[in-house]
């Protein structure tokens, strides 16, 4: 499995390559880098407490944590009140 830094770099590269809206891309990439510490903390909580079953991430936009958990091969579904924003 890729480590956390590799997953963040992979996500950052994907955001840069796929965004059609540069303002949204810049916002999302800044958000990713500003929240890396929180994402790492959240992932550690999941690793310490997850046993079996599905993971539901509420309020998941911009879906960074959802992506990272999926890359970790965890069964996660991300939902948000306004998913069309992303």
């Amino acid at each position: 499995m890729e480590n956390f830094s590799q997953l963040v770099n992979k996500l950052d590269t994907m955001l840069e390559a796929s965004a059609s809206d540069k303002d949204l891309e810049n916002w999302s990439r800044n958000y990713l880098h500003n929240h890396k510490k929180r994402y790492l903390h959240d992932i550690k909580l999941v690793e310490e407490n997850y046993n079996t079953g599905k993971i539901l991430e509420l309020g998941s936009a911009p879906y960074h944590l959802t992506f990272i958990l999926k890359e970790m091969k965890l069964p996660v579904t991300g939902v948000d009140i306004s998913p069309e924003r992303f």
Side-chain angles (χ1 to χ4, degrees):
M1 179 182 76
E2 296 171 281
N3 70 34
F4 177 73
S5 294
Q6 291 170 321
L7 291 172
V8 168
N9 289 337
K10 182 176 184 178
L11 178 55
D12 189 44
T13 300
M14 290 174 67
L15 289 170
E16 183 178 21
S18 66
S20 58
D21 180 336
K22 283 296 181 191
D23 288 336
L24 181 58
E25 173 202 338
N26 289 334
W27 179 89
S28 186
R29 292 176 75 201
N30 285 333
Y31 189 96
L32 172 64
H33 292 286
N34 289 329
H35 290 263
K36 280 195 298 191
K37 193 173 190 177
R38 179 178 59 85
Y39 290 151
L40 181 57
H41 180 267
D42 292 347
I43 288 166
K44 285 180 181 178
L45 284 174
V46 170
E47 289 177 335
E48 291 169 3
N49 295 291
Y50 175 77
N51 291 316
T52 62
K54 296 181 180 180
I55 298 169
L56 177 61
E57 183 191 6
L58 300 173
S60 57
Y63 304 99
H64 298 148
L65 186 59
T66 305
F67 172 84
I68 292 168
L69 292 172
K70 282 186 179 279
E71 288 293 307
M72 293 172 64
K73 309 295 186 220
L74 292 170
V76 61
T77 299
V79 295
D80 196 88
I81 194 167
S82 296
E84 68 279 355
R85 296 179 297 161
F86 300 92

